[in-house]
Amino acid sequence: MKDRISSTYVQIELLDRCNLDDPQQEASVPGVEREPEIMSSFETATTHVTLNTGHKMPVIGLGTWQAKPGVVGAAVEAAIKVGYRHIDCAYSYRNEKEIGDALQKLFKEGVLRREDLWITSKLGNDSHGAEEAPKCLQKTMSDLQLEYLDLYLMHWPVSLKKGYSWPPEPHMYNSSKPLEQDIKDTWQAMEKMVEEGKVRNIGVSNFSSKKLSGVLDYAKIVPAVNQVECQPMWRQDKLRTFMKTHNITVCAYSPLGTWGTAGITVNLLEQPVLKKISEKIGKTPAQVSLRWGIQIGNIVLPKSTRPERVKENFDVFNFALSKDDMAEIEKLAQKRFIRADFFCNESGSYYKKPEDIWDDDGL
């Protein structure tokens, strides 16, 4: 295992103080490796994290989950023109064709080149296994109109029968093989995608420490990323510690708490500690939450289709939270917002209750 892991540290690319208003201009610092602990000065504002493959992934990306057709393309255009260089997509979001059209428009206008962008997508839950996974990848690449992906993730440790998506019902689950074998077959299919040059990095999403450990037992390519919920009210302490040990990067979805989603009863951005810090430093609670994520070493994926919010969420590179600020945020009560009850039932699913999905990582 150790032979496959280059380091237990995250190499941080430091932002040039002379270019704080242009986060695309970086000052690389050869040989500097730092643990992703609390950072508290402008000099430590990060723009990229170096993955265990050596590829540099932009530390903030535009999330496109729940971005409706007709608006997601405009959101992508607005984000890229503000400075985003990382777009997070998924087959299951059903909006990759519109995103692809927006990207091609920007390429043709000369706004940027393909190599300037980091594009992530995720395998459909109905496309696990050696036969279906390559087809799903091809569909995503066709819709996005790209020749390769920077990162491809197994979206959930969940296998559905072909053609089924949302909302999941008991008869939709593919129980033709044990879960562990399904994940192994799918991971090996994804490793082949890297070998073929269609994907540069592979990883997982919504994997617990236990399930991630299972992948490490047979992986020829160590997952570069595990994309999970991570925000000040759900820090993922156990999972983050495990991932740090294996040099796997946390990519945080719902870093602003996903208020407005069905079943979410707590508004992260209304928490007094975030409002107090934001008022003190002249930023918004959303910016404080995103900055917290970056300073603990996460890649963060805020999502919005409103141009002013897209811009606000990117404006997190010209300030840093103090150690005292970070310590105050760490006092927030912890509760998993995305429990994944929707994948649990008494018949059909691998999972009877959310605890079966997240194992010992908590709720």
Side-chain angles (χ1 to χ4, degrees):
M1 180 64 64
K2 290 182 179 178
D3 291 339
R4 294 179 294 171
I5 299 172
S6 60
S7 171
T8 59
Y9 296 94
V10 176
Q11 180 176 342
I12 301 298
E13 295 300 309
L14 304 184
L15 185 65
D16 187 345
R17 291 192 68 183
C18 296
N19 292 289
L20 285 174
D21 292 329
D22 184 1
Q24 295 310 306
Q25 297 184 26
E26 306 158 33
S28 130
V29 183
V32 173
E33 291 187 345
R34 298 185 57 178
E35 293 184 76
E37 299 295 344
I38 296 173
M39 297 173 280
S40 58
S41 68
F42 289 142
E43 289 88 341
T44 51
T46 66
T47 60
H48 294 72
V49 169
T50 301
L51 304 181
N52 57 23
T53 59
H55 289 112
K56 296 174 182 178
M57 186 172 179
V59 76
I60 187 166
L62 179 72
T64 60
W65 175 48
Q66 295 181 323
K68 297 178 180 179
V71 297
V72 66
V76 168
E77 286 191 50
I80 288 174
K81 289 178 179 178
V82 165
Y84 287 75
R85 293 297 179 265
H86 172 186
I87 308 297
D88 182 77
C89 312
Y91 169 82
S92 297
Y93 297 167
R94 307 300 185 192
N95 56 16
E96 289 187 324
K97 179 64 170 67
E98 186 174 338
I99 292 171
D101 289 342
L103 294 178
Q104 291 304 313
K105 178 175 181 287
L106 291 164
F107 295 154
K108 290 175 182 177
E109 291 175 351
V111 175
L112 79 173
R113 303 165 298 172
R114 166 64 184 98
E115 53 266 36
D116 299 326
L117 272 180
W118 182 283
I119 304 295
T120 296
S121 189
K122 308 177 195 74
L123 181 71
N125 297 321
D126 68 339
S127 298
H128 282 205
E131 182 177 345
E132 294 300 331
K135 297 177 184 177
C136 187
L137 172 65
Q138 190 56 49
K139 170 63 173 171
T140 280
M141 292 174 64
S142 175
D143 284 349
L144 292 174
Q145 302 169 60
L146 301 176
E147 294 182 356
Y148 68 90
L149 296 180
D150 297 280
L151 177 63
Y152 200 45
L153 305 177
M154 196 184 315
H155 202 158
W156 284 89
V158 171
S159 182
L160 300 179
K161 294 175 183 176
K162 190 62 185 173
Y164 288 114
S165 179
W166 193 264
E169 297 179 10
H171 69 279
M172 298 181 181
Y173 291 89
N174 181 7
S175 56
S176 62
K177 65 178 76 171
L179 174 64
E180 293 78 9
Q181 188 63 49
D182 174 85
I183 292 173
K184 181 177 181 179
D185 292 347
T186 304
W187 185 255
Q188 291 175 339
M190 292 171 66
E191 289 179 323
K192 188 174 180 181
M193 297 170 187
V194 177
E195 295 169 3
E196 294 172 343
K198 296 177 180 178
V199 173
R200 294 188 172 178
N201 301 272
I202 52 176
V204 295
S205 180
N206 298 298
F207 270 53
S208 66
S209 303
K210 180 179 179 180
K211 292 181 176 64
L212 192 52
S213 179
V215 174
L216 292 175
D217 286 342
Y218 51 76
K220 294 179 180 178
I221 301 175
V222 175
V225 163
N226 185 12
Q227 187 180 127
V228 293
E229 176 192 3
C230 190
Q231 37 90 356
M233 294 188 73
W234 188 245
R235 296 189 305 265
Q236 296 274 18
D237 291 340
K238 179 180 179 179
L239 179 61
R240 284 174 42 233
T241 298
F242 177 84
M243 290 173 60
K244 181 179 176 182
T245 299
H246 295 282
N247 196 22
I248 300 169
T249 297
V250 175
C251 189
Y253 69 70
S254 298
L256 303 181
T258 196
W259 177 248
T261 299
I264 303 302
T265 60
V266 178
N267 188 341
L268 170 67
L269 302 184
E270 289 295 322
Q271 297 305 302
V273 64
L274 296 184
K275 296 177 79 171
K276 178 181 177 182
I277 293 171
S278 68
E279 290 168 2
K280 180 181 71 173
I281 64 177
K283 292 291 182 178
T284 66
Q287 289 168 326
V288 170
S289 183
L290 293 171
R291 187 69 215 169
W292 171 87
I294 292 171
Q295 288 186 208
I296 66 168
N298 291 354
I299 291 167
V300 294
L301 300 172
K303 60 183 180 66
S304 180
T305 56
R306 295 169 56 183
E308 67 275 14
R309 287 293 173 82
V310 169
K311 182 177 181 180
E312 174 190 307
N313 291 339
F314 194 72
D315 186 21
V316 292
F317 295 104
N318 59 357
F319 75 101
L321 301 176
S322 69
K323 290 183 179 180
D324 288 343
D325 292 336
M326 295 290 285
E328 286 299 308
I329 293 172
E330 296 283 319
K331 295 177 183 178
L332 280 167
Q334 296 295 291
K335 179 181 180 181
R336 188 186 294 273
F337 285 20
I338 309 297
R339 290 167 46 92
D341 299 82
F342 40 76
F343 282 132
C344 302
N345 58 65
E346 290 297 324
S347 63
S349 175
Y350 293 111
Y351 309 113
K352 309 303 181 187
K353 56 188 184 301
E355 288 87 347
D356 298 334
I357 297 179
W358 308 116
D359 300 308
D360 297 323
D361 289 352
L363 291 175

